[in-house]
């Protein structure tokens, strides 16, 4: 948890503009997920590709199976309007809207539709297997670049990234996923379009181009890593950010949860004079 908060702050999230908190500090997440679980069929959840992939690699557990429902609660609990997600997560946002629409139809207007916010680099693939996404849970650390990686680590990982037998640098995701993935990463860190990158790489082979990508990634990550290391030494500040964020998140979540309870008919009954709250009747 400490490392995650430090990473988010090092990447530029401002706790004065963003609410950063621990999900476990806001109990309405799981409460709303339980309500939502009655609105989704098991057949619907079994269709998710992430379930099929991760259940083989990790374990066939209820937590993994029902995670999309919890994710829907995570989103709708805060009256979210837009969600920036990777392309592989679009299906989860679609399910979120399905759940919200179904809840509204049964219990009255409560949740609004969520829009997917496109990002320039919405799908980053593994450096070792460019047909699958880059993931921190992958078995080999050579498949991904971490914020905490040293300059030498990044050089090595990108130099050994899987490409193909062709030497020309071209953005062709369907036929050349490896080099296209490097171009996508390069574009994400530099802000340069795929087309412009290919023009600038004219005359370079993929081996030479990897050096350009590595240099760009290293230059971008170095100040983030430095800030991360600084934050990791300041426990008081990190705890302060979490406490403040938890209080802000709880206030919003409480209002949404109270509205949900009222709409489905499980709000606490009013008490008469002298009656203790919680008295069994």
């Amino acid at each position: 948890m400490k490392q995650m908060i430090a990473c988010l702050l090092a990447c530029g999230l401002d706790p004065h503009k963003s609410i950063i908190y621990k999900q476990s500090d806001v109990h309405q997440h799981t409460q709303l997920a339980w309500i939502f679980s009655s609105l989704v069929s098991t057949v619907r959840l079994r269709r998710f590709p992430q379930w099929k992939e991760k259940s083989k690699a990790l374990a066939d557990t209820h937590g993994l199976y029902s995670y999309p429902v919890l994710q829907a609660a995570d989103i709708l609990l805060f009256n979210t309007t837009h969600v920036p997600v990777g392309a592989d997560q679009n299906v989860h946002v679609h399910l979120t809207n399905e759940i919200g629409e179904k809840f509204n139809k049964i219990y009255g207007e409560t949740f609004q539709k969520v829009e997917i916010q496109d990002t320039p680099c919405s799908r980053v693939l593994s450096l070792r297997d460019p047909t699958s996404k880059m993931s921190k849970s992958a078995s080999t650390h050579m498949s991904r670049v971490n914020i905490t990686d040293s300059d030498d680590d990044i050089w090595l990982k990108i130099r050994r990234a899987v490409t193909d037998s062709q030497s020309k640098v071209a953005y062709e995701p369907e036929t050349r996923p490896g080099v296209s993935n490097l171009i996508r990463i390069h574009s994400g860190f530099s802000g340069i379009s795929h087309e412009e990158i290919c023009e600038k790489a004219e005359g370079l082979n993929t081996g030479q181009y990897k050096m350009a990508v590595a240099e760009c990634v290293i230059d971008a990550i170095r100040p983030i890593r430095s800030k991360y290391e600084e934050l990791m030494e300041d426990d008081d500040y990190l705890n302060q950010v979490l406490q403040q964020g938890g209080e802000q998140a709880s206030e919003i979540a409480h209002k949404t949860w109270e509205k949900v309870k009222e709409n489905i008919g499980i709000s606490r009954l009013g008490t008469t004079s002298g009656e203790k709250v919680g008295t069994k009747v």
Side-chain angles (χ1 to χ4, degrees):
M1 175 59 67
K2 178 181 176 182
Q3 290 90 335
M4 175 59 71
I5 300 303
C7 277
L8 292 174
L9 294 172
C11 286
L13 283 187
D14 184 347
H16 297 294
K17 298 179 180 179
S18 303
I19 299 176
I20 305 171
Y21 68 101
K22 291 189 298 182
Q23 185 189 58
S24 57
D25 285 344
V26 182
H27 58 80
Q28 289 89 351
H29 279 277
T30 51
Q31 289 175 312
L32 186 58
W34 179 252
I35 299 297
F36 284 171
S37 68
S38 66
L39 302 176
V40 187
S41 70
T42 56
V43 173
R44 179 73 175 90
L45 294 177
R46 280 198 295 269
R47 295 196 191 114
F48 278 84
Q50 288 86 352
W51 155 252
K52 296 175 182 177
E53 294 170 6
K54 290 190 177 294
S55 61
K56 294 177 182 177
L58 300 174
D60 183 359
T61 65
H62 178 269
L64 184 62
Y65 184 71
S66 61
Y67 177 72
V69 180
L70 176 61
Q71 191 175 44
D74 295 341
I75 295 170
L76 295 178
L77 186 60
F78 296 98
N79 305 308
T80 306
T81 58
H82 294 76
V83 181
V85 294
D88 63 306
Q89 293 294 312
N90 287 353
V91 291
H92 290 269
V93 180
H94 295 322
L95 176 67
T96 297
N97 282 325
E98 288 177 24
I99 292 174
E101 290 169 6
K102 190 170 184 178
F103 186 98
N104 291 346
K105 185 177 181 180
I106 297 173
Y107 301 111
E109 197 66 27
T110 308
F111 302 108
Q112 55 191 324
K113 184 176 181 181
V114 179
E115 301 290 341
I116 295 172
Q117 184 173 333
D118 292 327
T119 60
C121 196
S122 61
R123 186 166 176 77
V124 180
L125 304 175
S126 166
L127 296 176
R128 302 304 300 162
D129 175 15
T131 62
S132 62
K133 74 172 185 176
M134 185 179 290
S135 172
K136 62 181 182 295
S137 60
S139 58
T140 172
H141 67 91
M142 293 297 291
S143 67
R144 60 186 177 273
V145 174
N146 301 308
I147 289 174
T148 54
D149 283 344
S150 67
D151 291 356
D152 289 342
D153 288 336
I154 297 172
W155 275 110
L156 180 63
K157 289 179 178 182
I158 292 180
R159 190 170 73 244
R160 292 187 178 178
V162 172
T163 51
D164 53 54
S165 59
Q166 299 183 54
S167 62
K168 183 179 179 180
V169 177
Y171 187 71
E172 300 171 2
E174 297 300 322
T175 56
R176 303 186 64 195
V179 69
S180 297
N181 187 43
L182 292 178
I183 293 172
R184 195 179 296 114
I185 292 170
H186 191 177
S187 176
F189 276 107
S190 67
I192 303 173
S193 68
H194 302 158
E195 294 77 12
E196 189 176 351
I197 286 174
C198 291
E199 289 177 7
K200 289 187 175 183
E202 186 72 33
L204 298 180
N205 59 41
T206 52
Q208 294 168 325
Y209 176 63
K210 285 179 179 180
M211 296 179 67
V213 176
E215 184 176 349
C216 176
V217 174
I218 289 171
D219 287 344
I221 286 183
R222 188 182 290 132
I224 296 175
R225 183 177 63 238
S226 177
K227 183 63 176 178
Y228 167 83
E229 292 170 351
E230 176 186 328
L231 287 165
M232 286 294 289
E233 298 297 323
D234 195 345
D235 287 353
D236 289 342
Y237 176 66
L238 296 179
N239 287 326
Q240 178 186 340
V241 169
L242 285 178
Q243 181 178 350
Q244 175 184 310
E247 292 170 355
Q248 293 174 308
S250 293
E251 183 178 349
I252 299 171
H254 174 73
K255 292 178 181 178
T256 303
W257 178 241
E258 289 302 309
K259 185 176 182 180
V260 168
K261 289 198 298 179
E262 181 180 351
N263 286 4
I264 64 179
I266 60 171
S267 293
R268 184 184 294 253
L269 297 176
T271 59
T272 58
S273 179
E275 180 184 347
K276 294 183 178 179
V277 174
T279 300
K280 191 174 182 179
V281 294

